[in-house]
Amino acid sequence: MIVRRTWSIGRILAAILVVMALVSCVLLIAGYGVWTRAKAQDGGTEVVNVTETPAPPVETEAPASTEAPPAPDATEAPEVTEPAEASALAPGFDFKSLDGSQNVRNDHSFPTNLALRVTVLDGGDTGVGAAYFTHAQKHLTISRMICDDICTKVVFYPAGGDPVVLLDRETETDLFEMIWIGGPDGVELSADEGLVLQSRGVELSGEQLMQNRYGVFLGDVPADSYLLVHYQDDETLQVNKGPTVSLTKDTDPLTVDLAGNRLESWTFTPEGYGE
């Protein structure tokens, strides 16, 4: 005989509840195990993953070098410009009047005529002209001393030296030996003397003013030297314009030094001299 058992509704529900309770226990146990392992790995702190964007590289300039530039080669001598020697075309003197006149001139070249055109207002007046040497000059000669009308005193003042009287009417000092040429008061010149004076530009016939027979060799003239010319107007003639001083780099056979001695040799000889 077969006996069939039938499940009542109450038994079925009870079985379901039991199964559900078992599944819940299994899930709880599994979740707890996962949680405890994660906590042990991170020390109990919550881990937050943050992805940082790396900063771009910063370019830095190399610091300026504090090292001094290399010194120039001590064995290489620097180029030195030697001062140019005073030339014939370089301004070597200036002309000034001491009585207030501005009408003076020169052309700053050699040979030259330095004209002291100093105004004299009345017949018989006197005046003083000065030639200032602003640059040193070598081998300088006064070849002519033209006095319009009368030279009373001529003095050379070399810088750093004692003054030298070249002409003084009061003491009868006259290194130039001023003479009249032509006319009743004129002196006779030898042929050689005539050649020398002509080479200086003297008109042997027709000169109205006194002329110097001898040139005066000043030698090497330092800068800041000067020449003073005292002169006087002849009250019997027209009012004068002042003296003229001719300067040259040459010496001729009728040249004396500052002591009044004739030079034994000279740099220029007029053609035909001594024949």
Side-chain angles (χ1 to χ4, degrees):
M1 176 173 132
I2 299 170
V3 180
R4 293 185 179 180
R5 294 182 180 180
T6 58
W7 292 85
S8 65
I9 295 173
R11 287 183 176 182
I12 293 172
L13 290 175
I16 291 171
L17 290 174
V18 172
V19 171
M20 290 179 63
L22 292 174
V23 170
S24 297
C25 290
V26 171
L27 291 174
L28 287 174
I29 293 171
Y32 179 80
V34 171
W35 179 79
T36 54
R37 285 196 302 270
K39 190 175 181 179
Q41 289 176 358
D42 61 8
T45 60
E46 185 178 358
V47 178
V48 179
N49 292 330
V50 178
T51 303
E52 295 185 0
T53 304
V58 179
E59 295 183 3
T60 58
E61 294 184 3
S65 174
T66 58
E67 199 173 311
D73 188 357
T75 60
E76 183 178 346
E79 183 177 353
V80 178
T81 303
E82 295 290 339
E85 187 174 323
S87 66
L89 297 180
F93 41 79
D94 193 9
F95 223 24
K96 299 180 181 180
S97 69
L98 302 185
D99 65 356
S101 171
Q102 300 299 318
N103 187 20
V104 295
R105 65 175 185 230
N106 68 74
D107 60 3
H108 299 302
S109 62
F110 292 102
T112 188
N113 293 325
L114 304 182
L116 285 78
R117 300 308 187 197
V118 182
T119 303
V120 177
L121 300 179
D122 300 314
D125 279 353
T126 60
V128 181
Y132 287 85
F133 295 88
T134 56
H135 292 71
Q137 300 294 326
K138 291 183 177 297
H139 208 272
L140 209 58
T141 301
I142 301 176
S143 61
R144 292 186 71 182
M145 177 62 64
I146 306 171
C147 303
D148 191 357
D149 296 312
I150 303 166
C151 288
T152 59
K153 192 173 185 178
V154 180
V155 184
F156 175 53
Y157 292 85
D162 296 327
V164 181
V165 177
L166 309 182
L167 183 150
D168 188 345
R169 290 179 60 133
E170 291 185 359
T171 61
E172 297 184 351
T173 301
D174 187 4
L175 300 186
F176 297 104
E177 195 174 311
M178 304 298 295
I179 57 176
W180 293 102
I181 297 177
D185 297 325
V187 300
E188 283 194 31
L189 299 174
S190 68
D192 286 344
E193 290 175 330
L195 287 173
V196 173
L197 267 63
Q198 279 185 317
S199 71
R200 298 175 185 166
V202 177
E203 294 286 344
L204 296 183
S205 60
E207 287 287 358
Q208 299 181 3
L209 300 173
M210 296 187 77
Q211 303 295 317
N212 57 298
R213 183 195 298 267
Y214 294 108
V216 176
F217 180 55
L218 302 178
D220 294 343
V221 178
D224 297 327
S225 302
Y226 59 97
L227 184 73
L228 290 187
V229 182
H230 302 250
Y231 58 93
Q232 182 178 1
D233 177 63
D234 188 336
E235 59 185 1
T236 66
L237 304 175
Q238 294 180 349
V239 173
N240 74 318
K241 296 296 183 182
T244 297
V245 181
S246 297
L247 296 175
T248 180
K249 295 284 189 179
D250 294 323
T251 54
D252 59 34
L254 296 182
T255 305
V256 298
D257 59 22
L258 293 177
N261 302 314
R262 288 272 294 271
L263 298 184
E264 296 181 0
S265 60
W266 45 87
T267 61
F268 168 74
T269 305
E271 186 177 355
Y273 179 84
E275 294 182 353

